[in-house]
Structures are given as structure tokens and as C-alpha cells.
Amino acid sequence: MAGFLGEGYLWVKALHIISVISWMAGLLYLPRIFVYHTQVPVGSERSEILKVMERKLFRFIMTPAMAASWLFGILLVLDTEAFREGWFHGKFLFLFLLMGFHGTSSKWMKTFQADNNTKSEKFYRFANEVPTLLMILIVIFVVVKPF
Ligand code: HEM
């Protein structure tokens, strides 16, 4: 199975990086919108605009980009047999946490959609750092391959 992508490998890797950039853009920006959302009154026009922004970002950018990152990432794993390597196990752990953040962001979004958010501005500012940290670790693991 290894090497089945042949010359197409670099194209799949390019598509992987494009999808990952789009996914990360959403993971980093959605909690930022939550920060703004905590600052506006429930039921206000601004709150309704932020709700639409959150919904569209999640549905039309983050979820499709996450699926594409997995699709191209899995093709790369099968082609390179990276699952045998230590750096990939590390990356996989961080990916698991990133997926958890993706799911949790969706839950937070739903509380805003229902005008039911109870978390503070400071909480979302802190949450914003989680995908940043995971992204830094993932890129170091995949590029430097320290293990
Ligand atoms: C969604 C599940 C993912 C899977 C299964 C996956 C898997 C892989 C694999 C097997 C490679 C080839 C690495 C090599 O052999 O050198 C790769 C490349 C890469 N991945 Fe992922 N990845 C995923 C998500 C991510 C995420 C979230 C990021 C960034 C935050 C990322 C960043 C990269 C980068 C920058 C490369 C290119 C590395 C290079 O060519 O030196 N990946 N990925």
C-alpha cells in the first residue's frame, strides 16, 4: 500500500495544508467572535449578526475543512505508513485534542444561538489560546519530527 499515491503525493500534501489552514482559521476565529459576543446585549441586532457569523463559519468553513484535513491526512498516513512513527503518535494525540476543541466550540456556539451563554469574556480569551498551542505543537511534530 505504501507509496500508492506516487507522483500525486505532493498534490495531496498541498491539499492537506490548504484544508488545515482553513480549518485552523475557523478554530482560531470562532472563539474570538465569542469574545465579541459576550460584550453585546442578548437580543440586540449585533448579537443576531454575530450568531449568523458563528453559524456560517462553523457550518461552511470549519466542518468541511476539518473533513478535508482528515481525508487528505489519512491518504498521507496510508501512503507513508506514518502510523509506525513516534512523531505521528504525538501528532495524533494533539489532533484528538483539536477535535475535542472543535466539538466543544460547537457546544459553546449552540449556547450563544439559544441566547444562553453563561461563560465570561475572559473564558473565551483563554479558550482562544488552546488551538494556537495545539497548532504550534502539531507543526513542530510534523516538520521537526522530534521523535
Ligand atoms: C486531520 C488529521 C490529520 C492527519 C491524519 C494528518 C497526517 C499527516 C501526514 C501523514 C503528513 C505527512 C507527513 C510526512 O510524512 O512528512 C502530514 C503533513 C502535514 N500536516 Fe498533517 N495531518 C492532520 C492534520 C493536520 C493539522 C491539524 C495540521 C496543522 C495544524 C497539520 C499540518 C501538517 C503539515 C504542515 C504537513 C506538511 C509537513 C511536511 O511536509 O514537512 N496536519 N499530515
Side-chain angles (χ1 to χ4, degrees), residues 3 5-15 75-77 79-80:
L5 289 174
E7 306 243 310
Y9 177 80
L10 290 178
W11 282 100
V12 174
K13 185 141 87 174
L15 291 169
L75 286 173
L76 295 175
V77 173
D79 190 82
T80 58

Side-chain angles (χ1 to χ4, degrees), residues 9 13 16 20 70 73 76-77 87 91 95 138 142 145:
Y9 177 80
K13 185 141 87 174
H16 178 62
V20 157
W70 275 102
L76 295 175
V77 173
W87 65 267
K91 177 173 178 174
L95 281 172
I138 290 173
V142 79
K145 299 191 169 80

